[in-house]
Structure formats: structure tokens, C-alpha cells
Amino acid sequence: MSQQPYEPYESYDPYQQPQHQHQQQYQQEHRQQYQAPAAAADTAYLPPQGQQTEPIGASLSELLQKAESARAPEPGPAPAAAAAEEPRLTYAQRARLEGRSPIIEPGLKPAALTAVLALLLAGGAALGPFGLLVPLLLLQALTAAGWFRLNGMWPARQGIALAFLGGVVADAVVLVTGREHAPGAILGTGGVWVLLTLVLQLRSHAGADERMYGLMATVSSAALTILAGGSLAAAPEAVSVGAVAVAVAVLARALPLPGPASAVVALLAAAGAGIAVGGMTDIGSAGALLGAGAGVCALVGLRVASYDYPSRFVHMTAGVALPLTAAVPALYLLGRVVA
């Protein structure tokens, strides 16, 4: 076949030779009628430069194949998009799927730091409110930073500073108003800090879920930090007995013993430390109750600091501070009972 373009109505037909002249005459008239519109259409639309147009003689099958290939989605991005939609598993979820425990105890080194801080609190309580203030501020700073990191929020300098400032304000109000007005001062400071946190979160430009998560983490961190200031409201003898009991309990818990046995040994050690220190003060043998209560709270604080594969920073902050911070309500309430 020839490579020249196909011209309709001009193909040779041996069975219709007498009509060939009539066909040529009709084709000439037909071309003269549509020559002007075709020229106008050619000048009205010019294809973009660099774009190749399909030849007139292209087969119908090639056009259909090109149309189907243009409609078909690219196979490349589909697996990537599907992988992006799959939720990523956390270390704790992966550990549960593999049958491992996501709980990691802080260990001996954080327990030793907790014992040192507890002894500083006990000695400061024996010296008076201002002697207790210095180790108390260190406890509040560790509580604020550790709780934020335990909730997975880092860096969160603004929230940590806000929570620590709430603890400082609570300490100042308790020192000014006196121990008899300490519960009202602590609750009032907590309420003010909740409102302040709400205002700051409303001014944030983050998403709704992120703002809600930051609000809950900031409020809970400020509440714990302010609650630690209750050490100034408790009786000094109760603070000394409870702090020593917490120190002994966390050290016993860090011993390489089975879980239930370790907890029982820690509670017995805390009760014994309460009796020993209580005998040096006016509390006496009632220190066993105070020491056991402080030991239970210390174990709860250790358990919270061990949740969901905590990092080393969590162990060195929340793992150190939460056993003492969680014991403060017991020191205040049981101290009023046994004092």
C-alpha cells in the first residue's frame, strides 16, 4: 500500500466505471462548499508548539490503546499511599503483639536519687518551712518535666514552665497564709492555673486534638506540681517519717526480686522505716501506718513512671519525683490522724 493519506470517495471500483465521472464532479462541488469553513477552522485552532498530533491514518486500535493507557492509574503511588494510611505501631503496642511487657521499672539509679531527695526533704522538714523549700522546689521541677515527657509531649518548655510556676506560686501562698490555710491556698492556686491554661490553649493555633491533648497534659502536670506543695501544709514530723519510708520503699522495690515479693518487701520496709523514724519523734509506733501509706503511694508513683516503654529521661525525672509527689496527700491526711 502507498503511504499517501487516504482520500474518501476516490478509490477505484471496477464495477462502477460508468459512474466515475459523476463522482469526480460531485467531489469537486463538495470540496468547494467546505473549503472556506475548513480554512477558517484551521486558522481558528493551532495546536501548541511541541505537541505531536495523531496522524490521520492512525488505526482505531492504536487510539483505543492510548486512551486506555491514559485512563489507567499509575501503579507506583498506590503502595506508598496504602502504606501511609496504615497506622504506625508504638513500642508498647508492638511489645503486646509480641507477648512482651511494655512496663520497664526505673531501676536502682533513679531509686537512689529518690532516696537522696527524700532524705533532703526529711532533713528540711526538721529545719522548718524554709529549710523544706529548697528540696521541694527541686521535686516540683522534676515532677513538671517528667510528667510532660511521660505523656509523650516534648519539647514542651512552655507547659513545663507554666506547671512549675504554679508550684512556686502555691508554695508562696502557703508560706504567706500559714499552714492552717494551706488547703484553700493550694486549691485556689490550682483553680487559677486551670483557667490560665485554658486561656493559653485557646490562643494556640494548633489543631483541635493537639490543643485538647496539650490542655490535659498541662492541667494534670500543674495539678501534680501544685499538689507537691502540700508538703508545706503537712506536719513536719509526718513529712520526715513519710519521706524516709518512701526512700526505703523505692530502694527495696529496685532489688532483683519477683514482682509480688518485691512489692510486699517494699511495703514491709516502709512500715519498718515509719516505726523507726516515728520513734524519734512524737508520732511513735503510729509511724507504721504513716510509713505503710507512704509506701503504697510510692509504689503507685513508680508504676506510673514505668508505663509504656518510658525513656531514660522519664526514669530520671518522673521515676525520681512521682513516688514522693504521690505520697504527699498521704503525708498530709495521715499526719493529721497520727499527730
Side-chain angles (χ1 to χ4, degrees):
M1 295 178 62
S2 133
Q3 299 297 328
Q4 296 179 355
Y6 175 75
E7 296 182 0
Y9 302 105
E10 293 185 3
S11 59
Y12 174 75
D13 192 356
Y15 296 98
Q16 297 181 0
Q17 289 182 0
Q19 300 178 359
H20 183 68
Q21 296 178 357
H22 297 284
Q23 289 179 358
Q24 289 182 351
Q25 183 177 0
Y26 173 78
Q27 290 173 1
Q28 291 177 359
E29 294 176 358
H30 184 72
R31 287 173 183 172
Q32 290 177 359
Q33 292 177 1
Y34 291 95
Q35 185 175 6
D42 292 340
T43 56
Y45 171 76
L46 292 177
Q49 294 182 0
Q51 181 178 358
Q52 297 180 358
T53 58
E54 296 291 338
I56 301 176
S59 63
L60 181 60
S61 60
E62 293 179 355
L63 294 176
L64 292 176
Q65 289 178 1
K66 291 183 179 181
E68 290 178 358
S69 63
R71 293 178 183 176
E74 296 182 359
E85 292 178 358
E86 294 180 357
R88 296 182 60 185
L89 295 178
T90 62
Y91 289 107
Q93 293 172 343
R94 188 177 304 169
R96 291 189 181 95
L97 291 177
E98 295 175 358
R100 296 183 286 108
S101 174
I103 305 302
I104 299 179
E105 299 287 341
L108 185 58
K109 189 173 182 179
L113 294 177
T114 302
V116 171
L117 183 57
L119 293 178
L120 291 176
L121 289 171
L127 296 176
F130 291 97
L132 179 61
L133 184 61
V134 175
L136 177 59
L137 291 176
L138 179 58
L139 173 63
Q140 290 171 326
L142 292 174
T143 301
W147 185 260
F148 265 90
R149 190 63 186 95
L150 186 62
N151 282 270
M153 300 188 65
W154 187 264
R157 299 180 182 89
Q158 181 180 2
I160 293 173
L162 182 63
F164 177 69
L165 183 60
V168 173
V169 172
D171 298 342
V173 173
V174 171
L175 291 175
V176 170
T177 59
R179 187 179 300 164
E180 60 276 8
H181 302 291
I186 292 175
L187 292 176
T189 306
V192 171
W193 244 248
V194 169
L195 293 177
L196 182 60
T197 304
L198 282 172
V199 172
L200 291 178
Q201 291 298 326
L202 289 176
R203 292 174 57 88
S204 175
H205 298 288
D209 294 339
E210 186 176 354
R211 282 189 294 176
M212 180 59 68
Y213 193 70
L215 173 65
M216 298 304 297
T218 306
V219 169
S220 57
S221 179
L224 288 174
T225 307
I226 293 172
L227 186 64
S231 301
L232 295 172
E237 296 84 0
V239 174
S240 298
V241 173
V244 174
V246 170
V248 174
V250 295
L251 288 175
R253 182 64 172 169
L255 295 177
L257 296 174
S262 177
V264 171
V265 170
L267 291 178
L268 292 176
I275 295 175
V277 180
M280 303 177 186
T281 62
D282 297 336
I283 295 179
S285 60
L289 176 62
L290 185 59
V296 170
C297 295
L299 294 182
V300 172
L302 280 176
R303 176 61 177 79
V304 173
S306 307
Y307 182 69
D308 267 1
Y309 275 99
S311 63
R312 182 176 179 83
F313 183 86
V314 172
H315 282 167
M316 300 305 292
T317 53
V320 173
L322 286 184
L324 288 167
T325 302
V328 170
L331 299 183
Y332 177 77
L333 296 176
L334 295 178
R336 291 176 63 89
V337 173
V338 302

